[in-house]
Amino acid sequence: MTSALFVTAQWLAEHQNDADLQIIDARMAPAGQEHLRDMHAEYAAGHLPNAPFFDIERLSDRNSPYPHMMPRAETFAVAMRELGIDSGKHLVIYDEGNLFSAPRAWWMLRAFGVERVSLLAGGLAGWKQAGYSLQTGDVHLPEAEFEAHYDRQRVKSVTDVLLISHEGTAQLIDARPANRFAGEADEPRPGLRRGHIPGSLNVPWSELVDNGQLKPEAELRAIFQRQGVDLTKPVVASCGSGVTAAVAILALTALGIKDVKLYDGSWSEWGSRDDLPVATSH
C-alpha cells in the first residue's frame, strides 16, 4: 500500500482518470500574504481537472489561537467527505509549484492515516508548462468515504519541545529562513519575538527544494549534515506555523528517515510566549 513520494506531470496526465486516483489542490498564500491574495479565487481561475481545493487555512483547528494547528480527527474526516476526498484512493497533491504547501497537506493526510499520498513534481506550474489542460470554477464531487485515524505520535507539544531543548533527547530543526532563525529579521506574523528555540538547528526549507520538487537525495543528505543534523537520531521539525516544517519532514522521509515528528505550534506558539527561552544568532 505504498506509493511514490512524487509523480511526474506526464504520469499524472496518463493516470488522471483512473478510478483509484484523486487529485487535490493544496495551494496557500505564504505568511504575510494571506490578506493580499484570494487563494480560492486563484484556484477557481484554473486548477487541475476534478481537483477539489484543500484549503489548509480552513481545514486547520479554527479554535486554536495559533495558525495551522491540526484539527480533530472527526472534524477533518467530515471536511474530507464533503470535499469528496476518498481515504482509500491514491491521492496526488499539488501546490503552485514552489513545494511550499503541498507537503503540509501530504503530512496532514498521512497523520490521519491515509496510506497512499503522492505529490506532483513541479506542481501547477510544471503541469501548465507541460501543456496539460486546466479546469475553472469550483469542483463539486459526490460525498466520499473518509476514515481518519490520527497518529498522535507524529506531533510534539510545546511542553515536549521545551524538555527536548533542555535535555537534548532529539534534534530540533527549524525550517525558517536563516535571517529569521538568527533573529536578524522580523517574523511575518505580528507580535512574535525574534530568534529560535535554544539548541535548534536551522535547515531552511527553500534550500531543500528545486523547481517544485526535492533536490536529489545526495544533495539533501549533504544539506542536513552541513547544518549539523545527525540522520541517525530522532528529529522534531518546526517552522513559522507548521507548514514548511513539513518540507523538511518530506525531505527526511525521502532519505528513509522514519523518526521525525512535527512541533505543530512552531514559532507562532513559541515566539508568542514570554515564558519560554529564545536564542538569537546562528
Side-chain angles (χ1 to χ4, degrees), residues 4 7 17 25 38 40 51 79 87 91 100 116 124 133 142-145 164 171 177 201 204 215 224-225 233 237 241:
V7 299
N17 296 318
D25 186 310
D38 182 339
H40 187 266
S87 56
L91 306 182
F100 165 72
R116 296 179 295 158
L124 178 67
S133 65
E143 188 162 312
E145 292 290 320
I164 291 166
Q171 300 168 102
L201 304 166
K215 289 180 176 177
F224 282 111
Q225 289 173 344
K233 294 181 178 173
S241 68

Side-chain angles (χ1 to χ4, degrees), residues 236-256:
V236 177
S238 73
C239 57
S241 68
V243 173
T244 56
V247 182
I249 294 173
L250 182 72
L252 289 163
T253 302
L255 294 175

